[in-house]
Amino acid sequence: MPPPVNGPVGPLERGLAVLRELTRLAAHEGRTTVRPGDLVRGTGLARSVVDRVVGTLEQLGYVTLDGRDIGLSVRLMELGNAYLEASGLPAALGPFAERLADGLDESVSVAVPDGDGVRFVVQTTRRRTMSLAFRIGDLLPAERCSPGALFAAEWSGSGWAAWRARSAEDPLDTSFPAVPPRHRPALGGDFEARVKEAARDGWAADDQLIEPGLVAVSVPVRAASGRTACAVNVVSHTSRHDVDSLRAAVLGPLDAEVPAMEAALAAAVGRERPRPAAARA
């Protein structure tokens, strides 16, 4: 990985680079602590820079130090929460997810695209009916959840190329700790067929793609430009529904809420005001 660029936000970018490498090693390699040399190799930063960044992160309470061992602190979660809140989606669409969850008595979430993956930014669960394995902020492969088919319907050629490269490099989804790893590689044509169906139908389904026992139906929520900004997703359990019965139960209420959700999203974007260059820096 090349070092982050210099400039007014250079220290911030270097700090984020160290945090990304720390979390990558923790999530993908299961390591509870790392050494400074691991961060130097993973970020491309000089050892002196890594030491300064780690010292700052310790003062902020984001990492813990035990000799040369560096570990993540629980307080680090506030950074991820701030990022998700800054998107404006939780505040704008959270009340709709709550209302849908109450009316349908099912868990409802809102997801956004993140490269060739899907990240959930709002989640309203109904624990009396089920417990979801994935959480707010988790990254899921696009092919393993219903919002992914909706987002992939708008991928460019480079987007599909990135997805195929990732699928070939990690056919069992071991780099996605939020989902159970596959027992065997998936057939790429299956996902492409589901994407075409989603583009044609305007909704997508998940028949136990994330994990056994979970079924879901998603519909797109579009920005003013017409592109899909996010997807609202209703999740149930096979003890309550199969995909067809869930679609019959929730697609009407979802479609009825989408215009108001799109209006709320447009209003939230409209409230954003450009700031002077000095303030941005």
Side-chain angles (χ1 to χ4, degrees):
M1 176 189 297
V5 298
N6 293 316
V9 295
L12 174 62
E13 291 190 348
R14 289 188 282 276
L16 291 176
V18 169
L19 285 174
R20 288 191 191 99
E21 184 62 13
L22 272 167
T23 53
R24 185 191 71 81
L25 292 171
H28 298 167
E29 299 186 13
R31 300 173 61 175
T32 57
T33 62
V34 303
R35 293 292 181 91
D38 300 322
L39 300 177
V40 169
R41 287 187 293 272
T43 63
L45 297 169
R47 172 62 186 267
S48 59
V49 174
V50 167
D51 288 342
R52 287 199 301 271
V53 170
V54 169
T56 300
L57 293 174
E58 183 195 23
Q59 291 297 313
L60 292 171
Y62 292 160
V63 301
T64 59
L65 296 182
D66 182 7
R68 295 175 59 200
D69 293 330
I70 307 164
L72 296 175
S73 168
V74 173
R75 187 178 176 185
L76 179 61
M77 294 175 66
E78 72 183 16
L79 275 183
N81 291 340
Y83 175 82
L84 295 175
E85 290 293 335
S87 71
L89 289 173
L93 303 184
F96 294 95
E98 289 276 0
R99 184 160 63 243
L100 281 165
D102 287 341
L104 299 171
D105 195 26
E106 301 288 359
S107 294
V108 177
S109 55
V110 176
V112 297
D114 187 347
D116 63 351
V118 172
R119 203 175 292 275
F120 288 87
V121 297
V122 173
Q123 190 178 85
T124 302
T125 59
R126 288 295 174 262
R127 295 191 180 277
R128 62 183 176 274
T129 60
M130 64 185 299
S131 179
L132 301 180
F134 59 91
R135 300 154 297 181
I136 289 177
D138 279 343
L139 182 67
L140 278 64
E143 66 274 19
R144 293 282 296 270
C145 57
S146 49
L150 297 172
F151 300 146
E154 298 180 355
W155 284 353
S156 63
S158 60
W160 280 105
W163 173 77
R164 292 188 181 98
R166 187 262 296 166
S167 299
E169 181 178 342
D170 182 20
L172 301 183
D173 296 337
T174 57
S175 60
F176 294 89
V179 296
R182 296 181 184 274
H183 297 296
R184 62 183 63 86
L187 299 175
D190 291 347
F191 179 53
E192 295 179 30
R194 288 194 289 111
V195 171
K196 291 179 181 178
E197 291 175 359
R200 180 195 67 209
D201 299 336
W203 58 273
D206 168 358
D207 190 358
Q208 306 183 73
L209 296 170
I210 294 179
E211 62 179 275
L214 292 189
V215 291
V217 170
S218 298
V219 297
V221 178
R222 302 187 185 280
S225 65
R227 292 188 61 82
T228 299
C230 59
V232 58
N233 184 55
V234 180
V235 184
S236 189
H237 194 269
T238 50
S239 62
R240 293 166 59 84
H241 285 289
D242 60 20
V243 166
D244 290 336
S245 67
L246 182 64
R247 176 187 57 79
V250 307
L251 196 55
L254 281 174
D255 286 340
E257 287 283 4
V258 164
M261 296 178 77
E262 291 177 341
L265 186 59
V269 172
R271 285 193 293 270
E272 296 179 359
R273 294 288 183 270
R275 292 173 294 164
R280 290 198 301 271

PDB file of all heavy atoms in Angstrom, residues 107 123 125-134 211 214 235 237:
ATOM      1  N   SER A 107     -37.332  -7.526  11.158  1.00  0.00           N
ATOM      2  CA  SER A 107     -36.155  -6.668  11.228  1.00  0.00           C
ATOM      3  C   SER A 107     -35.980  -5.913   9.910  1.00  0.00           C
ATOM      4  O   SER A 107     -36.147  -6.483   8.829  1.00  0.00           O
ATOM      5  CB  SER A 107     -34.908  -7.499  11.518  1.00  0.00           C
ATOM      6  OG  SER A 107     -34.984  -8.077  12.804  1.00  0.00           O
ATOM      7  N   GLN A 123     -30.106  -0.305  11.295  1.00  0.00           N
ATOM      8  CA  GLN A 123     -30.629  -1.640  11.577  1.00  0.00           C
ATOM      9  C   GLN A 123     -31.603  -1.564  12.743  1.00  0.00           C
ATOM     10  O   GLN A 123     -31.249  -1.100  13.825  1.00  0.00           O
ATOM     11  CB  GLN A 123     -29.488  -2.600  11.894  1.00  0.00           C
ATOM     12  CG  GLN A 123     -29.913  -4.057  11.971  1.00  0.00           C
ATOM     13  CD  GLN A 123     -28.719  -4.968  12.240  1.00  0.00           C
ATOM     14  OE1 GLN A 123     -28.335  -5.163  13.381  1.00  0.00           O
ATOM     15  NE2 GLN A 123     -28.130  -5.498  11.183  1.00  0.00           N
ATOM     16  N   THR A 125     -33.847  -4.158  14.705  1.00  0.00           N
ATOM     17  CA  THR A 125     -34.081  -5.595  14.840  1.00  0.00           C
ATOM     18  C   THR A 125     -35.305  -5.881  15.702  1.00  0.00           C
ATOM     19  O   THR A 125     -35.718  -5.061  16.514  1.00  0.00           O
ATOM     20  CB  THR A 125     -32.861  -6.294  15.458  1.00  0.00           C
ATOM     21  OG1 THR A 125     -32.603  -5.728  16.743  1.00  0.00           O
ATOM     22  CG2 THR A 125     -31.644  -6.127  14.576  1.00  0.00           C
ATOM     23  N   ARG A 126     -35.862  -7.044  15.480  1.00  0.00           N
ATOM     24  CA  ARG A 126     -36.932  -7.558  16.321  1.00  0.00           C
ATOM     25  C   ARG A 126     -36.399  -8.834  16.984  1.00  0.00           C
ATOM     26  O   ARG A 126     -36.471  -9.911  16.425  1.00  0.00           O
ATOM     27  CB  ARG A 126     -38.193  -7.854  15.485  1.00  0.00           C
ATOM     28  CG  ARG A 126     -38.897  -6.602  15.017  1.00  0.00           C
ATOM     29  CD  ARG A 126     -39.438  -5.833  16.234  1.00  0.00           C
ATOM     30  NE  ARG A 126     -39.998  -4.539  15.860  1.00  0.00           N
ATOM     31  CZ  ARG A 126     -39.338  -3.392  15.959  1.00  0.00           C
ATOM     32  NH1 ARG A 126     -38.094  -3.383  16.395  1.00  0.00           N
ATOM     33  NH2 ARG A 126     -39.918  -2.259  15.648  1.00  0.00           N
ATOM     34  N   ARG A 127     -35.801  -8.672  18.160  1.00  0.00           N
ATOM     35  CA  ARG A 127     -35.109  -9.786  18.794  1.00  0.00           C
ATOM     36  C   ARG A 127     -36.065 -10.879  19.255  1.00  0.00           C
ATOM     37  O   ARG A 127     -35.662 -12.011  19.469  1.00  0.00           O
ATOM     38  CB  ARG A 127     -34.273  -9.281  19.975  1.00  0.00           C
ATOM     39  CG  ARG A 127     -33.142  -8.366  19.510  1.00  0.00           C
ATOM     40  CD  ARG A 127     -32.161  -8.090  20.637  1.00  0.00           C
ATOM     41  NE  ARG A 127     -31.092  -7.208  20.182  1.00  0.00           N
ATOM     42  CZ  ARG A 127     -30.015  -7.613  19.537  1.00  0.00           C
ATOM     43  NH1 ARG A 127     -29.864  -8.886  19.266  1.00  0.00           N
ATOM     44  NH2 ARG A 127     -29.092  -6.760  19.165  1.00  0.00           N
ATOM     45  N   ARG A 128     -37.332 -10.540  19.423  1.00  0.00           N
ATOM     46  CA  ARG A 128     -38.259 -11.595  19.828  1.00  0.00           C
ATOM     47  C   ARG A 128     -38.507 -12.587  18.694  1.00  0.00           C
ATOM     48  O   ARG A 128     -39.026 -13.671  18.903  1.00  0.00           O
ATOM     49  CB  ARG A 128     -39.597 -10.999  20.265  1.00  0.00           C
ATOM     50  CG  ARG A 128     -40.330 -10.229  19.175  1.00  0.00           C
ATOM     51  CD  ARG A 128     -41.607  -9.602  19.720  1.00  0.00           C
ATOM     52  NE  ARG A 128     -42.278  -8.792  18.723  1.00  0.00           N
ATOM     53  CZ  ARG A 128     -42.009  -7.527  18.493  1.00  0.00           C
ATOM     54  NH1 ARG A 128     -41.043  -6.949  19.171  1.00  0.00           N
ATOM     55  NH2 ARG A 128     -42.673  -6.835  17.582  1.00  0.00           N
ATOM     56  N   THR A 129     -38.144 -12.191  17.452  1.00  0.00           N
ATOM     57  CA  THR A 129     -38.359 -13.088  16.330  1.00  0.00           C
ATOM     58  C   THR A 129     -37.067 -13.707  15.828  1.00  0.00           C
ATOM     59  O   THR A 129     -37.062 -14.822  15.335  1.00  0.00           O
ATOM     60  CB  THR A 129     -39.026 -12.341  15.155  1.00  0.00           C
ATOM     61  OG1 THR A 129     -38.178 -11.262  14.730  1.00  0.00           O
ATOM     62  CG2 THR A 129     -40.374 -11.789  15.577  1.00  0.00           C
ATOM     63  N   MET A 130     -35.936 -12.982  15.946  1.00  0.00           N
ATOM     64  CA  MET A 130     -34.681 -13.499  15.426  1.00  0.00           C
ATOM     65  C   MET A 130     -33.537 -12.615  15.882  1.00  0.00           C
ATOM     66  O   MET A 130     -33.743 -11.491  16.335  1.00  0.00           O
ATOM     67  CB  MET A 130     -34.710 -13.552  13.897  1.00  0.00           C
ATOM     68  CG  MET A 130     -34.839 -12.165  13.255  1.00  0.00           C
ATOM     69  SD  MET A 130     -35.002 -12.220  11.484  1.00  0.00           S
ATOM     70  CE  MET A 130     -33.482 -13.001  11.055  1.00  0.00           C
ATOM     71  N   SER A 131     -32.331 -13.103  15.746  1.00  0.00           N
ATOM     72  CA  SER A 131     -31.133 -12.335  16.039  1.00  0.00           C
ATOM     73  C   SER A 131     -30.235 -12.354  14.814  1.00  0.00           C
ATOM     74  O   SER A 131     -29.907 -13.423  14.306  1.00  0.00           O
ATOM     75  CB  SER A 131     -30.396 -12.926  17.246  1.00  0.00           C
ATOM     76  OG  SER A 131     -29.215 -12.190  17.513  1.00  0.00           O
ATOM     77  N   LEU A 132     -29.863 -11.178  14.325  1.00  0.00           N
ATOM     78  CA  LEU A 132     -29.055 -11.085  13.117  1.00  0.00           C
ATOM     79  C   LEU A 132     -27.577 -11.195  13.456  1.00  0.00           C
ATOM     80  O   LEU A 132     -27.099 -10.625  14.442  1.00  0.00           O
ATOM     81  CB  LEU A 132     -29.320  -9.754  12.411  1.00  0.00           C
ATOM     82  CG  LEU A 132     -30.770  -9.496  11.990  1.00  0.00           C
ATOM     83  CD1 LEU A 132     -30.876  -8.148  11.304  1.00  0.00           C
ATOM     84  CD2 LEU A 132     -31.284 -10.601  11.102  1.00  0.00           C
ATOM     85  N   ALA A 133     -26.857 -11.922  12.622  1.00  0.00           N
ATOM     86  CA  ALA A 133     -25.422 -12.098  12.837  1.00  0.00           C
ATOM     87  C   ALA A 133     -24.643 -10.857  12.417  1.00  0.00           C
ATOM     88  O   ALA A 133     -23.630 -10.514  13.021  1.00  0.00           O
ATOM     89  CB  ALA A 133     -24.920 -13.314  12.076  1.00  0.00           C
ATOM     90  N   PHE A 134     -25.101 -10.156  11.373  1.00  0.00           N
ATOM     91  CA  PHE A 134     -24.385  -8.968  10.916  1.00  0.00           C
ATOM     92  C   PHE A 134     -24.896  -7.739  11.661  1.00  0.00           C
ATOM     93  O   PHE A 134     -26.029  -7.690  12.112  1.00  0.00           O
ATOM     94  CB  PHE A 134     -24.522  -8.786   9.402  1.00  0.00           C
ATOM     95  CG  PHE A 134     -25.933  -8.649   8.910  1.00  0.00           C
ATOM     96  CD1 PHE A 134     -26.538  -7.407   8.796  1.00  0.00           C
ATOM     97  CD2 PHE A 134     -26.661  -9.769   8.552  1.00  0.00           C
ATOM     98  CE1 PHE A 134     -27.827  -7.281   8.343  1.00  0.00           C
ATOM     99  CE2 PHE A 134     -27.965  -9.656   8.090  1.00  0.00           C
ATOM    100  CZ  PHE A 134     -28.545  -8.411   7.989  1.00  0.00           C
ATOM    101  N   GLU A 211     -26.764 -16.326   5.560  1.00  0.00           N
ATOM    102  CA  GLU A 211     -26.562 -17.471   6.437  1.00  0.00           C
ATOM    103  C   GLU A 211     -27.819 -18.324   6.413  1.00  0.00           C
ATOM    104  O   GLU A 211     -28.909 -17.852   6.072  1.00  0.00           O
ATOM    105  CB  GLU A 211     -26.245 -17.018   7.861  1.00  0.00           C
ATOM    106  CG  GLU A 211     -27.339 -16.222   8.535  1.00  0.00           C
ATOM    107  CD  GLU A 211     -26.949 -15.845   9.958  1.00  0.00           C
ATOM    108  OE1 GLU A 211     -27.163 -16.672  10.853  1.00  0.00           O
ATOM    109  OE2 GLU A 211     -26.430 -14.739  10.152  1.00  0.00           O
ATOM    110  N   LEU A 214     -31.992 -17.329   7.107  1.00  0.00           N
ATOM    111  CA  LEU A 214     -32.362 -15.936   6.880  1.00  0.00           C
ATOM    112  C   LEU A 214     -32.856 -15.738   5.458  1.00  0.00           C
ATOM    113  O   LEU A 214     -32.228 -16.198   4.498  1.00  0.00           O
ATOM    114  CB  LEU A 214     -31.170 -15.008   7.125  1.00  0.00           C
ATOM    115  CG  LEU A 214     -30.656 -14.852   8.552  1.00  0.00           C
ATOM    116  CD1 LEU A 214     -29.619 -13.737   8.604  1.00  0.00           C
ATOM    117  CD2 LEU A 214     -31.781 -14.574   9.525  1.00  0.00           C
ATOM    118  N   VAL A 235     -35.740  -8.398   6.758  1.00  0.00           N
ATOM    119  CA  VAL A 235     -35.158  -9.716   7.002  1.00  0.00           C
ATOM    120  C   VAL A 235     -36.094 -10.526   7.891  1.00  0.00           C
ATOM    121  O   VAL A 235     -36.623 -10.013   8.882  1.00  0.00           O
ATOM    122  CB  VAL A 235     -33.777  -9.597   7.685  1.00  0.00           C
ATOM    123  CG1 VAL A 235     -33.144 -10.968   7.851  1.00  0.00           C
ATOM    124  CG2 VAL A 235     -32.863  -8.688   6.889  1.00  0.00           C
ATOM    125  N   HIS A 237     -37.052 -14.951   9.121  1.00  0.00           N
ATOM    126  CA  HIS A 237     -36.498 -16.277   9.328  1.00  0.00           C
ATOM    127  C   HIS A 237     -37.370 -17.303   8.624  1.00  0.00           C
ATOM    128  O   HIS A 237     -38.581 -17.108   8.478  1.00  0.00           O
ATOM    129  CB  HIS A 237     -36.410 -16.591  10.824  1.00  0.00           C
ATOM    130  CG  HIS A 237     -35.551 -17.771  11.138  1.00  0.00           C
ATOM    131  ND1 HIS A 237     -36.053 -19.054  11.211  1.00  0.00           N
ATOM    132  CD2 HIS A 237     -34.218 -17.865  11.381  1.00  0.00           C
ATOM    133  CE1 HIS A 237     -35.070 -19.889  11.493  1.00  0.00           C
ATOM    134  NE2 HIS A 237     -33.942 -19.194  11.601  1.00  0.00           N
TER     135      HIS A 237
END
